[in-house]
């Protein structure tokens, strides 16, 4: 009986010792393996600032794109054959005959460029007399003659330089002669001018606005040069004038006076040598956000560069009442974003300094991006099911946040795909599986990062190939992994063990509570590594509980075992594990059994 009890006690002690050893010390294990299973930009408005119209064509200057788009007014689609590119520094546009005239200031030099709207051939003039001019208007006076008016301000008077574009039978060319129209009355700098109807033969009636005043003068364009022209006031309005435009309705001629917060339309009455205005309609209209205006027949068009749209105002008459209605004739469609799956994300590096914006039409940066910065394309962009490839919708991962937005695709180079260093890894307890390669998560937005799930035990996974293996963020690198139940996502590389078939796994007993530097020695001087918050480590034995720095051992991202020192205050020790608790209970039971056996044996010997 005594021998049986001794043998039983010895077996219990052996089992207990083995249990405690397994709970405290790692051992080599073989990890189980498993089998790895149209150019739409042409249609968009980016910064529409200037506008001009003739017949069925509507010309819009896009300052951001440095081009003049031609829209067909029957359907408001772009006529690519009539679009003019590589145009910058435009101040004003006007259409007359088959020509689009553009007043351009570039490199401190002012010129007028005439584009043939049929052939896109151009001719230009830059003479001293038009330097510092800020507005222009063109009028065809006969089959072979177009007059171009350029205005400038002397400080006390408005001056008009009149140039002639002439057809000599073989081509249209600017004449070197010009007329300078000096006005006999001092005025403030004009804001707009138009040429309107009159009954005087071989004369043009020029109407212009200055402050709240509207003036007119007659130009006898067959007389040749004349130094001074008589100026007379037509009317005044209450608010400052932004623009004047001529509207026609039936056989009536009207003058639209666009003020800062309303539009007034005046009916013109023309006499032998007179012009008078009678108010037709006054309508409150917030026009302060518009940049430029033009008219064609009974329609008035306006550009809004900030809102990136073109508004059309329609002038009509019902009975004795005149009406003015408005709607957006051209506006950008809302882009449709289709998120890419984790395995189809694309990785890029900026090839120049660029920006990321909240809209493909915007030039206001959410963030500036330096050359060499890496980003992830997380969604495709389309308009009415047609893809937009000129911009990519990307994730820019910063140290403190994620930024999602649009980046010009020409500013990005794709990263090369690369196989991972290891195809299988073990994910550490407590690691997150992310939807996107970033540790910042969101709950709102067209595309958002989230945690697919948390690993509650050491888990073996497959690492996938791809450009992700060449991608880095400011505070982490990631593996694209697939779990045994085919979940695909991203895990931080410092949350994994490398699987080499067999490996000594460190049995961790503590967690870092903050991002921490690892020092070579306990004096805390030379940093050899930096570990993220929540990294699991083992606090080595035989250290003072009052030490400022504690020696730890941990598995690095490449699977190697490393040792160093961290601040003791950054460590949180684990509580006793279930296995360790059971072991302690067994020790206690065994001690009791041994004591009982000892007492029994002693009593038997005594007897």
């Amino acid at each position: 009986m005594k021998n049986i009890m001794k043998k039983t006690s010895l077996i219990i002690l052996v089992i207990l010792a083995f249990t405690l050893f397994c709970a405290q010390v790692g051992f080599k294990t073989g990890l189980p393996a498993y089998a790895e299973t149209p150019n739409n930009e042409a249609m968009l408005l980016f910064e529409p600032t200037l506008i001009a119209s003739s017949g069925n064509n509507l010309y819009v200057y896009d300052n951001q794109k440095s081009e003049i788009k031609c829209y067909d007014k029957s359907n408001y689609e772009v006529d690519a054959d009539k679009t003019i590119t590589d145009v910058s520094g435009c101040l004003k546009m006007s259409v007359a005959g088959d020509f689009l005239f553009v007043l351009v200031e570039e490199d401190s030099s002012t010129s007028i460029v005439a584009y043939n709207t049929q052939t896109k051939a151009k001719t230009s003039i830059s003479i001293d007399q038009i330097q510092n001019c800020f507005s222009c208007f063109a009028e065809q006076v006969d089959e072979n003659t177009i007059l171009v008016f350029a205005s400038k301000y002397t400080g006390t008077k408005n001056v008009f330089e009149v140039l002639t574009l002439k057809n000599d039978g073989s081509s249209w060319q600017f004449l070197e002669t010009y007329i300078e129209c000096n006005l006999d009355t001092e005025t403030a700098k004009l804001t707009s001018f138009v040429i309107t109807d009159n009954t005087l033969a071989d004369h043009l009636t020029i109407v212009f606005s200055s402050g709240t005043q509207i003036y007119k003068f007659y130009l006898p364009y067959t007389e040749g040069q004349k130094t001074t022209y008589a100026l007379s006031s037509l009317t005044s309005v209450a608010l400052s004038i932004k623009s004047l435009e001529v509207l026609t309705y039936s056989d009536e001629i009207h003058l639209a006076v666009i003020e800062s917060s309303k539009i007034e339309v005046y009916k013109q009455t023309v006499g032998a040598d007179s012009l008078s205005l009678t108010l037709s309609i006054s309508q409150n209209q917030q026009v302060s956000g518009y940049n430029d205006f033009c008219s064609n027949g009974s329609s008035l068009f306006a550009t809004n560069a900030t809102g990136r749209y073109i508004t059309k105002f329609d002038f009509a008459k019902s009975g004795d009442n005149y009406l003015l209605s408005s709607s957006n004739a051209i506006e950008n469609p809302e882009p449709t974003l289709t998120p890419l799956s984790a395995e189809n994300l694309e990785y890029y590096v900026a090839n120049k300094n660029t920006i990321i914006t909240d809209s493909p039409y915007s030039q206001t940066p959410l963030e500036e991006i330096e050359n060499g910065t890496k980003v992830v394309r997380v969604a495709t962009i389309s308009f009415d099911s047609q893809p937009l490839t000129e911009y990519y919708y990307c994730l820019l991962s910063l140290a403190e946040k994620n930024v999602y937005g649009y980046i010009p695709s020409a500013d990005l180079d794709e990263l090369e795909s690369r196989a991972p260093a290891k195809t299988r890894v073990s994910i550490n307890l407590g690691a997150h599986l992310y939807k996107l390669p970033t540790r910042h998560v969101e709950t709102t937005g067209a595309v958002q990062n989230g945690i697919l799930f948390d690993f509650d035990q050491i888990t073996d996974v497959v690492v996938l190939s791809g450009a992700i293996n060449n991608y880095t963020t400011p505070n982490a690198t990631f593996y694209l992994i697939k779990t045994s139940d085919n979940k695909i996502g991203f895990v931080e590389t410092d949350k994994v063990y490398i699987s080499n078939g067999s490996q000594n796994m460190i049995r961790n007993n503590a967690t870092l509570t903050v991002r921490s530097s690892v020092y070579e020695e306990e004096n805390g001087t030379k940093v050899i590594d930096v570990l993220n918050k929540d990294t699991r480590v083992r606090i080595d034995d035989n250290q003072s509980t009052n030490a400022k720095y504690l020696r730890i051992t941990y598995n690095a991202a490449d699977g190697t075992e490393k040792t160093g020192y961290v601040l003791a205050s950054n460590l949180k020790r684990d509580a006793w594990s279930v296995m360790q608790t059971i072991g302690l209970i067994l020790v206690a039971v065994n001690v009791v059994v041994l004591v009982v056996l000892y007492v029994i044996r002693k009593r038997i010997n005594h007897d």
Side-chain angles (χ1 to χ4, degrees):
M1 177 69 178
K2 290 188 287 183
N3 289 334
I4 294 174
M5 294 182 70
K6 287 181 178 179
K7 289 179 179 178
T8 302
S9 178
L10 183 61
I11 292 171
I12 293 174
L13 283 173
V14 170
I15 294 173
L16 175 62
F18 181 77
T19 301
L20 289 174
F21 177 79
C22 291
Q24 294 283 354
V25 181
F27 58 96
K28 292 185 178 182
T29 65
L31 293 174
Y34 61 92
E36 180 181 358
T37 60
N39 187 341
N40 285 294
E41 186 178 5
M43 305 296 295
L44 304 179
L45 294 170
F46 293 86
E47 191 184 359
T49 52
L50 302 178
I51 192 165
S53 179
S54 177
N56 203 43
N57 295 328
L58 188 66
Y59 298 93
V60 179
Y61 174 62
D62 196 318
N63 185 57
Q64 180 181 323
K65 305 303 293 183
S66 297
E67 65 184 16
I68 300 171
K69 293 182 171 75
C70 178
Y71 290 86
D72 185 331
K73 284 192 287 189
S74 64
N75 53 21
Y76 294 110
E77 292 186 357
V78 172
D79 186 341
D81 292 335
K82 295 182 179 179
T83 293
I84 302 169
T85 58
D86 298 324
V87 186
S88 59
C90 295
L91 302 177
K92 187 67 177 175
M93 299 193 306
S94 181
V95 181
D98 291 333
F99 287 90
L100 171 66
F101 294 88
V102 184
L103 180 66
V104 175
E105 184 172 19
E106 202 168 20
D107 298 329
S108 301
S109 176
T110 307
S111 61
I112 295 175
V113 183
Y115 293 94
N116 188 307
T117 57
Q118 304 302 314
T119 66
K120 289 201 287 189
K122 68 177 183 179
T123 182
S124 62
I125 186 171
S126 178
I127 58 176
D128 291 342
Q129 286 70 26
I130 64 171
Q131 301 308 304
N132 301 317
C133 287
F134 59 89
S135 187
C136 73
F137 193 91
E139 180 80 4
Q140 184 160 12
V141 294
D142 62 42
E143 184 180 17
N144 296 309
T145 308
I146 298 176
L147 298 184
V148 184
F149 297 79
S151 65
K152 59 185 176 182
Y153 189 61
T154 66
T156 58
K157 293 182 180 181
N158 290 287
V159 176
F160 294 85
E161 305 292 345
V162 186
L163 309 177
T164 303
L165 184 69
K166 197 76 173 178
N167 182 7
D168 61 8
S170 60
S171 64
W172 288 81
Q173 298 294 330
F174 278 105
L175 302 183
E176 293 188 6
T177 58
Y178 65 93
I179 304 171
E180 186 170 89
C181 300
N182 292 292
L183 305 179
D184 65 355
T185 306
E186 291 189 359
T187 53
K189 185 178 180 179
L190 70 81
T191 53
S192 178
F193 71 100
V194 294
I195 298 174
T196 189
D197 198 24
N198 68 76
T199 59
L200 295 175
D202 300 329
H203 281 66
L204 295 176
T205 302
I206 300 176
V207 176
F208 72 92
S209 58
S210 173
T212 60
Q213 300 291 319
I214 300 175
Y215 301 95
K216 76 171 190 303
F217 70 92
Y218 296 108
L219 173 67
Y221 59 84
T222 58
E223 277 189 9
Q225 184 169 340
K226 187 174 182 179
T227 56
T228 304
Y229 291 85
L231 183 68
S232 60
S233 175
L234 279 174
T235 188
S236 63
V237 295
L239 303 174
S240 59
I241 299 171
K242 289 177 66 71
S243 184
L244 299 176
E245 300 295 336
V246 175
L247 295 172
T248 59
Y249 182 79
S250 186
D251 58 349
E252 301 173 355
I253 307 295
H254 294 258
L255 182 68
V257 181
I258 302 160
E259 303 170 45
S260 55
S261 60
K262 66 179 178 180
I263 298 177
E264 293 183 330
V265 181
Y266 292 83
K267 182 179 180 181
Q268 295 183 178
T269 302
V270 180
D273 58 354
S274 65
L275 172 66
S276 61
L277 302 176
T278 304
L279 184 64
S280 304
I281 183 174
S282 178
Q283 181 171 301
N284 291 333
Q285 187 79 45
Q286 187 54 252
V287 297
S288 59
Y290 291 107
N291 300 82
D292 193 26
F293 300 84
C294 75
S295 60
N296 185 245
S298 60
S299 297
L300 177 69
F301 296 91
T303 59
N304 188 306
T306 303
R308 309 177 193 97
Y309 57 81
I310 308 296
T311 299
K312 179 186 179 186
F313 298 87
D314 289 307
F315 181 64
K317 191 175 185 181
S318 177
D320 294 331
N321 298 319
Y322 290 97
L323 306 173
L324 191 64
S325 59
S326 65
S327 62
N328 286 346
I330 306 173
E331 57 186 342
N332 292 321
E334 283 298 316
T336 299
L337 296 176
T338 304
L340 295 169
S341 60
E343 62 269 38
N344 290 320
L345 297 179
E346 298 173 4
Y347 302 86
Y348 293 88
V349 59
N351 56 37
K352 59 185 291 188
N353 291 340
T354 185
I355 59 175
I356 185 170
T357 62
D358 64 352
S359 165
Y361 331 115
S362 174
Q363 283 296 286
T364 302
L366 294 173
E367 294 286 341
E368 294 183 351
I369 297 176
E370 292 185 356
N371 184 10
T373 301
K374 295 177 180 178
V375 298
V376 187
R377 187 186 185 191
V378 294
T380 60
I381 314 166
S382 62
F383 298 105
D384 299 327
S385 301
Q386 297 299 312
L388 177 70
T389 57
E390 289 82 5
Y391 287 82
Y392 288 160
Y393 190 79
C394 295
L395 158 67
L396 170 65
S397 184
L398 303 178
E400 69 282 359
K401 64 179 179 179
N402 292 331
V403 179
Y404 297 90
Y406 299 84
I407 304 174
S409 57
D411 297 348
L412 300 173
D413 291 334
E414 191 165 7
L415 292 173
E416 292 184 2
S417 178
R418 180 167 63 87
K422 296 291 181 181
T423 57
R424 293 198 305 273
V425 297
S426 293
I427 307 298
N428 210 343
L429 173 69
H432 305 306
L433 185 68
Y434 294 103
K435 290 172 61 179
L436 298 173
T438 172
R439 65 171 52 160
H440 306 301
V441 298
E442 303 90 18
T443 57
T444 60
V447 178
Q448 54 191 259
N449 187 35
I451 298 174
L452 297 175
F453 66 84
D454 295 326
F455 292 90
D456 57 4
Q457 60 184 354
I458 294 177
T459 306
D460 303 331
V461 299
V462 170
V463 182
L464 303 179
S465 295
I468 178 63
N469 300 306
N470 281 320
Y471 173 75
T472 57
T473 72
N475 52 15
T477 55
F478 291 84
Y479 287 133
L480 175 63
I481 62 99
K482 183 199 290 187
T483 64
S484 58
D485 57 353
N486 291 322
K487 290 186 175 68
I488 297 178
F490 298 89
V491 65
E492 293 177 70
T493 56
D494 62 1
K495 302 295 185 185
V496 307
Y497 299 114
I498 301 296
S499 302
N500 291 316
S502 65
Q503 183 177 352
N504 185 32
M505 295 294 188
I506 294 173
R507 183 63 60 179
N508 299 316
N509 60 12
T511 302
L512 286 171
T513 59
V514 295
R515 185 174 169 87
S516 303
S517 297
V518 181
Y519 300 97
E520 186 176 47
E521 298 177 356
E522 59 183 327
N523 56 16
T525 55
K526 183 179 179 180
V527 176
I528 59 173
D529 201 355
V530 177
L531 298 179
N532 289 322
K533 177 184 176 183
D534 297 328
T535 297
R536 298 280 292 158
V537 300
R538 184 186 73 207
I539 300 176
D540 295 340
D541 296 331
N542 303 319
Q543 298 186 78
S544 170
T545 56
N546 296 322
K548 181 178 180 181
Y549 294 91
L550 290 176
R551 186 176 67 254
I552 63 168
T553 302
Y554 59 96
N555 282 111
D558 60 1
T560 59
E561 185 177 304
K562 291 188 175 181
T563 299
Y565 292 83
V566 298
L567 283 169
S569 58
N570 293 355
L571 289 164
K572 180 181 179 182
R573 293 177 182 267
D574 294 345
W576 281 96
S577 68
V578 173
M579 187 72 77
Q580 290 169 329
T581 302
I582 292 173
L584 286 174
I585 293 173
L586 290 174
V587 168
V589 170
N590 195 61
V591 169
V592 171
V593 169
L594 290 175
V595 170
V596 170
L597 288 174
Y598 176 77
V599 171
I600 292 173
R601 180 179 178 184
K602 196 163 188 181
R603 182 172 296 176
I604 291 172
N605 291 334
H606 179 71
D607 293 341

